[in-house]
Amino acid sequence: MSPALHLAASSATTEHRPLIITLFAAFVVGTLFITVWAGRQTKDAADFYAGGRQFTGFQNGLAISGDYMSAASFLGIAGAIALFGYDGFLYSIGFLVAWLVALLLVAEPLRNSGRYTMGDVLAYRMRQRPVRTAAGVSTIVVSIFYLLAQMAGAGILVSLLLGITSDGGKIAIVALVGLLMIVYVTIGGMKGTTWVQMVKAVLLIAGTLLITFLVLWKFNFNISDLLGEAAKNSEIGQKGNPDAFLEPGLKYGVDGMTKLDFISLGIALVLGTAGLPHILIRFYTVPTAKAARKSVNWAIGIIGAFYLMTIALGFGAAAIVGPAEIKASNPAGNTAAPLLALHIGGVDSAWGAILLAVISAVAFATILAVVAGLTLASSSSFAHDIYANVIRRGQATEKEEVRAARWATVFIGIVSIALGALARDLNVAGLVALAFAVAASANLPTILYSLFWKRFTTQGALWSIYGGLASSVFLVLFSPVVSGSASAMFPSVDFAWFPLSNPGLISIPLGFLLGWLGSILTKEKPDEGKYAELEVKSLTGINAH
């Protein structure tokens, strides 16, 4: 952070730190109360995994929105737009368009075909133990990738508010978020997580609407003036070419490789949502497929409105705060939205400090709600797919299964804390895009083949999941995200030979190819009778749980 801004933000937060801490504490206490209340109503596995399937389409749509609008949306996208203009806004477009794939191809058939997890759908017509193991492994890996972004966002956000600059302090914040998410899931299960996500969605929309209104008011509701000021204040604008800020190419059109990186990012964003475990399990919390479809419609409306408002957040931050101060605060741009709140209210004023505290508390609420959903998805998959159906071969009681899910929550929380500490300085939107790529590479091909291709076999499923998972994770490890660049997870070393920041361009087609290849090369004959049953069940909902 620039010295002037650091002093201003520091004085504002120091003077009003009791208010900031009170708002944070109020949300944490409120959500813990909801979690304990919901935990008392969690009687069996159906309650823990699917909230008893008691939520309406609107409630589930609101919860899906709360689950989906993560730290990447609120912090990462605002920062990407503030620094890269038009190219940053492409994240918003990709995240929103992705819902069409989920709505048209996945939501209703998945709700009809499964019970608690993605593994239920795959195991219906294939050998139980190998496909459930693969589904569980994939779910946990994708969830941990997504959790990294939320942990990074939490460390950045709270350190800005409380003036924490040391790495140890940021790691402590990451650990606190991990501890809270363990408590939410182990006590509240799906019921508690869903209510927390609904509350968070309302708070996030309200907070974003307030900042959007104030930004537009500052520019007399003239969007052209807002965009013009943002372009003029941008780095490229200060160099005499403001138009480039509002045109494609500032980040992804620089050369042939960045164009390929953009294509890879776009594919990952559009196809990834339909393979995200924490989104997939939300379709099981409603009583019918019709309610699942209705919940996705509600989610599209709410999420669409939010992403439209990210225009005001990102371009407003560029116009009012400026890229130099944003990058000085956080090189990846993750503090753009909180700093915009501080500036729009007045850096030296109580109103500015209050806005900063409110928006940061909303962002923290966002992080807590999303990490709870992710942890629930991964722990549920471990307990239901791996423990109950692979290790115990279907002999585990519901009580034992739920206990295993709670222990898995603790383990996944510890792993996420450790990895989140390493990822604390990366752009959270970029981290989420990696999770989308892994989900689209490993999960989506298998889901679509299972639902719509009768020749799909167990070997095809295993090749698709493990091949898509291994290729995407492998390419990420040797990409500029991990090493070889100033913004990498390990900037001091360079073992990056894969040139793209997102592996989707390679790993997603490979996941589909391996699923097809594994199916046609096996001697195993697909069970066409089971496929016919699954087809009828997925399309009609007959005998759905």
Side-chain angles (χ1 to χ4, degrees):
M1 188 180 292
S2 65
L5 180 66
H6 178 79
L7 289 172
S10 177
S11 63
T13 55
T14 300
E15 183 182 350
H16 298 279
R17 191 154 291 159
L19 169 67
I20 295 168
I21 294 172
T22 300
L23 281 171
F24 270 70
F27 178 78
V28 171
V29 170
T31 51
L32 286 174
F33 175 81
I34 292 171
T35 301
V36 172
W37 166 77
R40 290 177 178 173
Q41 301 180 53
T42 300
K43 309 295 183 186
D44 54 23
D47 286 335
F48 187 86
Y49 293 138
R53 309 190 200 281
Q54 297 171 350
F55 293 100
T56 66
F58 170 71
Q59 288 175 325
N60 194 45
L62 197 59
I64 288 173
S65 304
D67 213 358
Y68 192 69
M69 295 183 300
S70 65
S73 302
F74 194 59
L75 301 177
I77 292 178
I81 295 174
L83 298 181
F84 301 108
Y86 180 94
D87 282 11
F89 183 59
L90 293 172
Y91 278 100
S92 295
I93 302 298
F95 283 138
L96 180 57
V97 172
W99 272 105
L100 295 178
V101 179
L103 173 63
L104 297 175
L105 295 178
V106 172
E108 190 171 347
L110 198 73
R111 171 62 189 84
N112 287 338
S113 308
R115 189 179 182 192
Y116 298 134
T117 66
M118 178 182 75
D120 289 332
V121 178
L122 307 184
Y124 191 85
R125 52 182 287 228
M126 296 170 196
R127 297 200 307 275
Q128 286 257 339
R129 298 184 74 200
V131 296
R132 282 192 183 275
T133 301
V137 169
S138 177
T139 296
I140 291 168
V141 172
V142 172
S143 297
I144 287 176
F145 263 94
Y146 212 116
L147 278 167
L148 290 183
Q150 313 311 313
M151 297 297 197
I156 291 161
L157 183 70
V158 182
S159 60
L160 171 72
L161 274 183
L162 302 184
I164 296 172
T165 56
S166 67
D167 287 339
K170 293 177 182 178
I171 292 171
I173 294 164
V174 170
L176 173 63
V177 174
L179 180 64
L180 285 171
M181 81 181 184
I182 291 170
V183 171
Y184 286 160
V185 176
T186 53
I187 295 176
M190 177 58 86
K191 283 188 176 179
T193 299
T194 299
W195 280 105
V196 168
Q197 288 165 345
M198 289 164 60
V199 170
K200 167 256 169 158
V202 172
L203 290 174
L204 182 61
I205 289 293
T208 308
L209 193 61
L210 172 63
I211 296 299
T212 298
F213 175 79
L214 292 174
V215 168
L216 293 177
W217 188 21
K218 185 175 182 68
F219 290 93
N220 298 315
F221 297 92
N222 189 320
I223 296 177
S224 179
D225 287 350
L226 167 62
L227 296 179
E229 187 67 19
K232 187 175 74 174
N233 283 353
S234 67
E235 284 186 330
I236 194 76
Q238 292 171 11
K239 294 175 182 177
N241 188 15
D243 291 344
F245 189 69
L246 305 177
E247 296 173 352
L250 197 57
K251 181 176 183 181
Y252 292 111
V254 180
D255 52 37
M257 195 55 66
T258 56
K259 290 177 181 177
L260 285 177
D261 216 356
F262 167 64
I263 294 171
S264 189
L265 171 69
I267 294 172
L269 293 181
V270 170
L271 298 180
T273 296
L276 289 174
H278 67 299
I279 298 298
L280 297 179
I281 64 168
R282 292 236 54 91
F283 299 137
Y284 298 127
T285 64
V286 290
T288 65
K290 182 180 179 181
R293 189 169 62 249
K294 186 179 292 186
S295 65
V296 176
N297 288 332
W298 274 109
I300 289 174
I302 296 168
I303 293 167
F306 171 78
Y307 283 129
L308 279 176
M309 290 188 286
T310 59
I311 299 175
L313 292 179
F315 287 111
I320 297 168
V321 182
E325 293 178 347
I326 294 170
K327 290 176 76 172
S329 172
N330 178 262
N334 294 318
T335 54
L339 289 177
L340 172 63
L342 176 66
H343 274 256
I344 201 78
V347 171
D348 297 318
S349 70
W351 177 231
I354 291 170
L355 267 183
L356 173 65
V358 168
I359 294 305
S360 298
V362 168
F364 193 65
T366 294
I367 292 164
L368 290 178
V370 174
V371 296
L374 287 161
T375 309
L376 181 64
S378 48
S379 61
S380 297
S381 186
F382 171 82
H384 183 64
D385 291 324
I386 297 176
Y387 174 76
N389 286 288
V390 176
I391 297 174
R392 296 293 303 276
R393 298 175 181 268
Q395 300 302 309
T397 65
E398 285 195 348
K399 187 176 180 180
E400 290 172 333
E401 201 173 316
V402 171
R403 187 188 304 127
R406 288 178 167 140
W407 278 111
T409 297
V410 175
F411 174 75
I412 291 163
I414 293 170
V415 172
S416 300
I417 290 169
L419 293 176
L422 293 173
R424 61 188 179 275
D425 292 325
L426 300 181
N427 181 277
V428 290
L431 283 172
V432 165
L434 294 180
F436 273 60
V438 178
S441 304
N443 294 349
L444 184 62
T446 319
I447 293 170
L448 295 182
Y449 280 146
S450 294
L451 291 172
F452 302 114
W453 187 32
K454 67 181 179 181
R455 291 190 59 192
F456 195 47
T457 64
T458 300
Q459 179 172 293
L462 297 180
W463 282 28
S464 180
I465 291 177
Y466 287 129
L469 192 65
S471 62
S472 54
V473 173
F474 178 76
L475 292 176
V476 167
L477 289 176
F478 293 97
S479 74
V481 173
V482 175
S483 71
S485 67
S487 59
M489 189 178 292
F490 301 105
S492 58
V493 294
D494 185 1
F495 47 84
W497 53 262
F498 182 65
L500 303 180
S501 296
N502 192 291
L505 186 62
I506 306 297
S507 59
I508 296 173
L510 187 61
F512 279 97
L513 175 63
L514 289 172
W516 171 79
L517 201 60
S519 296
I520 65 168
L521 292 181
T522 183
K523 295 180 180 179
E524 170 193 358
K525 289 187 177 180
D527 190 333
E528 295 191 7
K530 276 288 189 181
Y531 172 74
E533 289 178 20
L534 180 64
E535 186 177 34
V536 171
K537 188 177 181 180
S538 67
L539 294 177
T540 65
I542 293 174
N543 296 325
H545 291 284

